[in-house]
Amino acid sequence: MGGIIAWLIAVSSVLLPYDEDYLGIRGSDISDRYPRLLNFMSHDRITLAGTMISIGIIYYLLGRYGLSKGLHWAKTAATASCAVGFASFFLYLGYGYFDPLHATAAVLLFPMFLLSLRSRGDKTLVHPPNLRNDRAWLLGQWGQLMMVVLGFAFAIGGLVISGVGITGVFVRTDLAYLCIGTDEIRSFNDRLISAIAHDRAGFGGALFCDAIAILGTALWGIRQNERWIWWLFLLGGIPGFWGAFSVHAMIGYTDFVHLLPAYFAFAVYIAGLVLLYPYLMGRSRKIVADKRVSIEDSRKL
């Protein structure tokens, strides 16, 4: 819900009233002076909103099908991801803009995180494992590798974006798109860069939070015929990628070098979904047969 609200704001006014109070100017003043600058801020906020929606979907599915069954790996993935997400709030110490809405959301959500820690996390499996290394299993191994690569890629991207957000704020392609320099922005409004840095660092923190959840699921959660895992990857990825690609096309920020990491991540994401489909979405009767084989083998031993 928070991601959807943030998306609606980003495609309309972009700035909230407290943003304008902090800056001392209205959004229309920015767009009148620098037409691309408000679009650039919208681009940061839509990518953040898409990532927030992805995180929400992943947490829901982890809670519904993982934590509710006491799976240890699901609790580990969710706990690590949440811990990173809440800790990323303190990135504001680097860019100097305290966002009251962000703080309020963190205060409201933190008790839910603490309550989730009370859930059991002592089970390793819900269903017996498949003991046959067939073609679906082999494709699943490659699919798992793709999702692990995707998780690491998102983690690196999140760290880099957060680092940029609390230091230089802009990269070369950003300034080329804006056709202005940081000194000119600072001379126009000395608080504007801090507000932009807040969006950039926030997106980087959210992306790293998303990465931990994806990586934990990819490393420990992939088991044959666990259909919800495939749906987690599919539904969890759509809002993030849709937000990233749609807003860049909408504002005309289509520099190939800037979007190259996103193109790479999307290709890995699609490859992972395709390769994992036979393994995760196959019929469950294979596992039953494998369980019978394993019992017979154990009797022989």
Side-chain angles (χ1 to χ4, degrees):
M1 291 178 61
I4 292 171
I5 292 171
W7 197 313
L8 293 175
I9 293 171
V11 297
S12 54
S13 63
V14 182
L15 298 179
L16 290 166
Y18 67 81
D19 290 323
E20 295 180 334
D21 290 341
Y22 171 75
L23 295 173
I25 56 175
R26 299 178 63 84
S28 57
D29 298 327
I30 299 174
S31 58
D32 290 343
R33 180 70 177 274
Y34 301 109
R36 287 190 170 187
L37 190 53
L38 200 64
N39 287 339
F40 183 81
M41 297 179 72
S42 173
H43 133 273
D44 278 345
R45 296 194 169 194
I46 288 177
T47 51
L48 170 61
T51 305
M52 290 172 61
I53 296 172
S54 291
I55 292 171
I57 292 171
I58 291 173
Y59 284 177
Y60 170 78
L61 291 173
L62 283 176
R64 175 67 178 82
Y65 297 101
L67 295 178
S68 64
K69 294 180 173 58
L71 289 174
H72 178 73
W73 71 264
K75 183 174 182 179
T76 302
T79 301
S81 177
C82 286
V84 167
F86 285 110
S88 69
F89 169 76
F90 295 99
L91 288 171
Y92 83 90
L93 296 173
Y95 53 75
Y97 176 37
F98 182 85
D99 186 335
L101 184 59
H102 190 173
T104 301
V107 169
L108 292 175
L109 293 174
F110 192 66
M112 301 182 191
F113 168 57
L114 294 179
L115 288 173
S116 73
L117 298 178
R118 299 177 64 250
S119 65
R120 304 188 326 274
D122 53 357
K123 291 184 179 180
T124 55
L125 296 173
V126 175
H127 306 293
N130 179 21
L131 302 179
R132 293 183 178 179
N133 299 342
D134 53 11
R135 177 175 172 78
W137 171 85
L138 181 60
L139 292 175
Q141 297 298 295
W142 285 105
Q144 182 179 26
L145 175 62
M146 293 297 101
M147 291 305 178
V148 169
V149 169
L150 181 66
F152 274 112
F154 279 170
I156 294 171
L159 289 174
V160 170
I161 294 170
S162 295
V164 170
I166 61 176
T167 55
V169 184
F170 300 102
V171 296
R172 180 181 58 82
T173 55
D174 296 334
L175 297 176
Y177 168 77
L178 293 171
C179 299
I180 53 177
T182 54
D183 292 338
E184 186 175 353
I185 297 174
R186 193 174 286 109
S187 64
F188 170 65
N189 187 293
D190 60 354
R191 291 186 171 184
L192 191 53
I193 290 183
S194 294
I196 295 172
H198 150 263
D199 296 335
R200 314 224 85 182
F203 169 54
L207 186 60
F208 191 77
C209 173
D210 197 12
I212 296 300
I214 292 172
L215 189 58
T217 303
L219 286 171
W220 307 313
I222 294 178
R223 297 287 187 274
Q224 187 162 17
N225 300 329
E226 292 288 351
R227 293 169 175 259
W228 71 274
I229 297 292
W230 192 85
W231 285 109
L232 181 149
F233 289 135
L234 175 66
L235 300 178
I238 289 175
F241 283 115
W242 177 258
F245 289 127
S246 65
V247 71
H248 281 87
M250 181 179 68
I251 69 172
Y253 189 2
T254 56
D255 183 88
F256 179 77
V257 174
H258 178 73
L259 289 173
L260 184 59
Y263 292 145
F264 169 78
F266 186 68
V268 172
Y269 166 73
I270 294 298
L273 289 175
V274 172
L275 291 168
L276 282 171
Y277 188 88
Y279 189 65
L280 294 178
M281 300 293 284
R283 296 182 178 180
S284 60
R285 61 186 181 187
K286 290 185 177 180
I287 287 187
V288 175
D290 289 341
K291 182 180 179 182
R292 184 170 59 251
V293 171
S294 64
I295 293 174
E296 293 173 357
D297 291 343
S298 64
R299 288 175 178 173
K300 291 179 181 179
L301 291 175

